[in-house]
Amino acid sequence: MNSFENYPMSWKPSIDKTRKPIYQVLASQLQQDILNGILLPGTKLPPQRELADYLDLNVSTISKAFKVCELKGLLSATVGSGTFVSYDAVSNAYLLEDTKPNHLIEMGATLPDDASYEPLLLQLKSMLQETDYEKWFGYGRAGESLWQKDAAVKLIRRGGFETTVDHILFANGGQNAIAATLASLCQPGDRIGVDQHTYPGLKTVAAMLNVQIVPIKSGNNGMSPTAFEYACKNDNIKGLYLIPDYHNPTTRSMSIENRKAIADISKKYNQFIIEDASYHLLNEKPLPALASFAPEQVIYIASLSKSIAPGLRLAYVTVPNQYKESLSRALYNLNISVSPLLAELTARIIVSNQLEILIKSHQEQTIKRNQVVNRYLADYTCLGAETGIFRWLLLPGEIKGTEFEKLAANQGVQVYAAERFVVGNSCPERAVRVSVCAPETIEELERGLAILERLLKTIT
């Protein structure tokens, strides 16, 4: 019998070996110990061979148990460094609750202001007064949407990417497009690269599909091309997910040089890239999309919920020819079709040039709100542009994001900690995401900011 009584192992599980299969029993025990706080985020697990000796099991059994937990996002393995409990293992990536807590000022969800609601309502009323209005309530067919695809091309051009109608597919929102893309291009167990902090919706979709996300280090306001190429060579990744413009949650925008470099690497290693352009219309002068430099590798997703209205559940997906058939099938299986009503409404808003009016109106409202943010948080580092609908507040002292999120909630304000966005064994920034436009009025925003300012003073 091996004796490990006085050996400094970070995890000494006790399992019932009569239950089969043993790797699932061990994986279940590991999961419970993580969720119950016995193993804390960032803990390095014992080497697999060492754990196998301790439990008197085969190394392959340990490897299979670890893999089960890796695919659930609970563990993160790095070649040459070992296996760690993921920093986001116990964080909640589902940010939008079923019901809005009445006692909290909402400054967590990334919502635009309501400047577009009245123009959308007027356009909708006009559509419903047409003699053939009933067609908006039937099935939409891809062959009938050519002029709507022309509108999509116009919107995407506005965001910095030139494409053509033959590359356009429709989805029921950006999240839906991301899910369909991963479902069509990845198999369970595949790995894709992401920023060290990333959109939680990507994390939940990847976990559902058993696609593992691998954090890639940042540099110069965005993902490091050198780190991306390293991952292509050593981490067996199949693709990449990026938000180059006004990154969620860190607000950073990738330089043109980095976009070109990452595009070149994707072509060199035949990596697909999902470019999430949810925030591209927030920029007054959008940079060229990453897809501009590698159109044959990039699936470009332009959604409207963040730049126009959250209930406008429509996204335009620009797809390279090599991925179009498989992605089209995935979207069909997930959607059957998008809403003809929303597709037509959106196209009319774009083609009538109301889009520019709405964007300008949103920007004016957002600038006003950000000026209020700057006034209250002037003594702290609060990253983000004046046209951004959220900010990235770096916390003073030694307090963690999760601790500050709890303090803020106790005082009546909802913000989201960096731990909700962090990936794998990347160490989360001591920061929280603060939504600028989610409060219904500027007065409510001011009340929330006053609470946050008082809290920041107590921890400085």
Side-chain angles (χ1 to χ4, degrees):
M1 294 290 294
N2 295 325
S3 177
F4 290 82
E5 290 181 7
N6 298 315
Y7 193 77
M9 293 176 66
S10 60
W11 186 47
K12 296 182 179 181
S14 176
I15 61 170
D16 182 358
K17 294 182 183 178
T18 63
R19 296 171 56 201
K20 306 293 181 180
I22 292 177
Y23 82 91
Q24 288 187 354
V25 176
L26 184 60
S28 178
Q29 183 64 55
L30 180 52
Q31 178 174 334
Q32 288 304 312
D33 285 352
I34 292 171
L35 297 180
N36 292 334
I38 296 171
L39 287 171
L40 298 176
T43 300
K44 184 176 181 179
L45 293 180
Q48 293 183 19
R49 186 169 299 282
E50 192 173 284
L51 193 57
D53 287 344
Y54 173 72
L55 294 172
D56 199 20
L57 296 172
N58 292 327
V59 174
S60 61
T61 302
I62 308 298
S63 297
K64 289 170 73 175
F66 278 21
K67 190 64 178 177
V68 168
C69 290
E70 266 193 86
L71 291 175
K72 291 181 178 180
L74 298 171
L75 299 181
S76 180
T78 305
V79 176
S81 298
T83 301
F84 298 80
V85 178
S86 297
Y87 276 100
D88 59 338
V90 294
S91 64
N92 182 6
Y94 293 90
L95 301 191
L96 198 60
E97 298 183 21
D98 292 340
T99 57
K100 179 183 175 181
N102 293 326
H103 65 289
L104 291 178
I105 296 174
E106 177 62 81
M107 297 183 71
T110 53
L111 304 173
D113 62 83
D114 60 4
S116 57
Y117 291 2
E118 186 175 354
L120 287 169
L121 176 61
L122 293 174
Q123 185 67 255
L124 186 58
K125 283 182 176 179
S126 173
M127 289 171 56
L128 295 179
Q129 288 170 0
E130 296 175 8
T131 55
D132 57 349
Y133 69 88
E134 68 276 358
K135 66 185 178 183
W136 312 129
F137 301 97
Y139 275 127
R141 299 181 185 276
E144 299 170 351
S145 60
L146 185 59
W147 97 272
Q148 294 174 356
K149 290 185 177 182
D150 283 331
V153 169
K154 182 176 181 179
L155 177 101
I156 291 168
R157 183 184 301 123
R158 173 68 171 73
F161 180 38
E162 290 285 346
T163 189
T164 54
V165 295
D166 54 308
H167 289 289
I168 301 293
L169 297 174
F170 292 176
N172 285 313
Q175 176 81 358
N176 177 252
I178 292 169
T181 302
L182 290 183
S184 63
L185 300 185
C186 296
Q187 299 294 323
D190 282 349
R191 297 157 64 89
I192 63 165
V194 299
D195 287 293
Q196 291 174 298
H197 294 77
T198 197
Y199 168 50
L202 181 276
K203 294 166 66 175
T204 58
V205 166
M208 179 182 72
L209 297 172
N210 281 334
V211 173
Q212 191 175 348
I213 55 176
V214 177
I216 298 179
K217 292 181 179 179
S218 299
N220 190 26
N221 269 352
M223 182 178 290
S224 161
T226 302
F228 173 40
E229 184 158 24
Y230 178 89
C232 292
K233 292 178 180 178
N234 299 286
D235 290 332
N236 194 31
I237 63 171
K238 192 173 183 179
L240 200 62
Y241 169 85
L242 285 172
I243 308 175
D245 297 294
Y246 211 82
H247 175 262
N248 181 13
T250 65
T251 76
R252 299 179 178 102
S253 291
M254 185 180 289
S255 67
I256 291 180
E257 292 72 23
N258 275 19
R259 295 176 197 229
K260 289 178 179 178
I262 284 176
D264 288 342
I265 294 166
S266 73
K267 289 183 280 189
K268 179 179 178 181
Y269 294 94
N270 194 29
Q271 297 275 318
F272 72 80
I273 296 178
I274 302 172
E275 181 172 2
D276 187 340
S278 294
Y279 303 97
H280 68 301
L281 293 180
L282 299 182
N283 297 326
E284 293 185 281
K285 295 181 180 179
L287 295 174
L290 195 149
S292 302
F293 307 113
E296 67 279 15
Q297 304 297 131
V298 179
I299 299 97
Y300 180 89
I301 301 173
S303 62
L304 296 153
S305 63
K306 307 303 182 187
S307 53
I308 304 297
L312 208 55
R313 305 310 302 164
L314 181 71
Y316 300 131
V317 190
T318 306
V319 189
N321 288 330
Q322 62 174 319
Y323 306 130
K324 187 176 180 182
E325 184 177 355
S326 60
L327 183 48
S328 179
R329 287 178 179 173
L331 285 167
Y332 179 84
N333 287 326
L334 288 174
N335 300 329
I336 302 301
S337 68
V338 301
S339 163
L341 182 67
L342 292 184
E344 183 71 12
L345 173 62
T346 305
R348 292 191 185 197
I349 288 290
I350 295 168
V351 173
S352 67
N353 288 324
Q354 282 183 291
L355 176 69
E356 293 302 324
I357 297 171
L358 293 181
I359 290 173
K360 188 173 183 355
S361 178
H362 277 304
Q363 287 179 344
E364 289 173 352
Q365 292 297 321
T366 306
I367 289 170
K368 287 180 182 177
R369 287 175 174 247
N370 274 299
Q371 288 171 347
V372 176
V373 173
N374 292 340
R375 188 167 74 248
Y376 276 89
L377 303 181
D379 294 333
Y380 306 95
T381 303
C382 195
L383 304 177
E386 63 178 3
T387 55
I389 63 174
F390 60 88
R391 305 285 289 272
W392 189 237
L393 174 61
L394 304 185
L395 299 172
E398 299 299 322
I399 192 169
K400 296 178 180 178
T402 48
E403 295 169 346
F404 189 84
E405 180 182 321
K406 290 177 183 176
L407 286 175
N410 289 337
Q411 295 297 313
V413 179
Q414 177 70 75
V415 294
Y416 288 140
E419 283 79 356
R420 292 178 179 262
F421 305 91
V422 77
V423 177
N425 64 348
S426 302
C427 187
E429 293 186 26
R430 288 187 299 100
V432 293
R433 191 185 72 184
V434 179
S435 180
V436 175
C437 295
E440 294 182 4
T441 64
I442 288 184
E443 290 72 26
E444 186 181 43
L445 173 65
E446 291 203 56
R447 291 199 301 273
L449 289 168
I451 292 170
L452 296 181
E453 183 187 25
R454 288 199 301 272
L455 284 175
L456 289 166
K457 285 180 178 177
T458 64
I459 63 174
T460 302

